[in-house]
Amino acid sequence: MTKLIVILLSAVFINNYVLSRFLGICPFLGVSKKLDSATGMSLAVIFVMLMATAVTYPIQKYLLDPNNLGYLQTIVFILVIAALVQLVEIVLKRYVPSLHKSLGVYLPLITTNCAVLGVTILNIDEGYTFVEAMVNSLGSGLGFFLAMVMFSGVRSTIEGSDVPKSFQGLPITLVAAAITSLSFLGFGGVIENLFA
Amino acid sequence: MTEILTAVIPVVIIGIICAAVLVIASKLMAVKEDERFPKIRECLPGANCGACGYAGCDGYAKALCESDSTPTNLCVPGADAVSKQLSEILGVEFEDVIEQVAVVHCAGDCNHTQDRVEYRGIESCAAAKLLYGGKGSCTYGCLGLGDCMNACPKNAIYIKDGIAHVNQRECIGCGICTKTCPNHLISLVADMEKVVVTCSNKDKGAVTRKVCSNGCIGCKKCERVCPSKAIKVVDNVAVIDYSKCPNCDDFGICAKNCTTGCIMISDLSGIHRFEKEV
């Protein structure tokens, strides 16, 4: 149990996918302008990360590993995740059209989101069991959510402030992203000592 | 050769399974879309102004698809041209659109009213309004900081002498400005009307008189002279009921008799009528 909590918390804070591992930067910069779209995107990412892990983990363990096909990992995972996201989109369009509309282009964007592919591959590399892998995906998703919500708050503050002309637009956004990622540095070493 | 096949075959099989699942899912969960919807959506102007009473152009197009009883003449910015296209697509009779234009019900410019204080805050009416109702001596009047001007999609509003004016030649009647004015001074009026009340001050006559020489003092003279009883003084300010105002024979009698000059004769023919005539 302690191990699961450590995995969860370290996925959220220490190894935060966006701010510590620099995965999934595209939606982090692209969709964080407004709080509601940032929340929608993050929820979709959490959902897709969990689904992707649930599907790719058995494929790796029962199909690729026994047949010595580990080198096909990347291409098979990409294939499966893309099909999965497409399926989710079809289901959402049919049953939750309002959510489908508000997610809009973000849902297909998740297909090529490196955070999703990253979490599935890292789950295998770390040698997690299935439960641990699912907890890690949940934590990574929550970490993504946290980063997105925090950064959308930072960006809305930037919007209201007087930014020097040469910094307006992307430069100030990148500077703000750097400072936000600095703030996560402080979590290093906290979790290990918490349960030591 | 076998090594290649052992790699290729699993990937192909996984691909085929994924494709099959997707095909089945898209067949099972296909969402029926009215083929008229994209056509209708295309002829709507796409300003998402909400003048039709639906949530944006998508909402109106959807309502038109779903129910035949939805009127085709609700799109004010699109005017007759859009109404015609819509009735063609839906196969219903063409209904004339009552074109509307925005009117600012305030004429308290810097020649007629004074500033109470010097305002140095954020350049926005909404912000100024929060601070003791704005800098002007009349708290009902135009704040003149141009929230409506910034909101107007057609740049039809300009600020002159401290109050907002609508250039009716450019106004499409979407009504976005009516929602942005913190004092609710702007309303939509059918563009064939000729008289407008340009005051919204609800204070008693003496108070109004003190703060603005153009303000309505609620003397009810217009009420008495109007042959069709279309003008009523409500809360110390004259209001014209346009359903009763026939642009009468004695045209403009209310404006001529107005003691302060807050009822004005004005040419409201907007862009749609203007285009028709030209």
Side-chain angles (χ1 to χ4, degrees), chain A residues 75-92:
Chain A
I75 191 160
V76 169
F77 280 16
I78 290 177
L79 191 65
V80 171
I81 292 171
L84 188 73
V85 172
Q86 200 65 49
L87 186 67
V88 170
E89 196 186 359
I90 293 171
V91 173
L92 281 185

Side-chain angles (χ1 to χ4, degrees), chain A residues 59 63 69 71-72 75-76 79-80 83 86-87 90-91 93-95 101, chain B residues 3 6-8 10-11 14-15 18 21-22 25-26 28-31 58:
Chain A
I59 286 179
L63 188 73
L69 290 173
Y71 57 88
L72 286 179
I75 191 160
V76 169
L79 191 65
V80 171
Q86 200 65 49
L87 186 67
I90 293 171
V91 173
K93 198 173 180 186
R94 178 78 168 86
Y95 294 107
K101 209 178 164 200
Chain B
E3 283 124 38
T6 48
V8 169
V11 177
I14 291 173
C18 290
V21 170
L22 283 181
S26 67
L28 277 181
M29 303 186 200
V31 183
D58 280 347

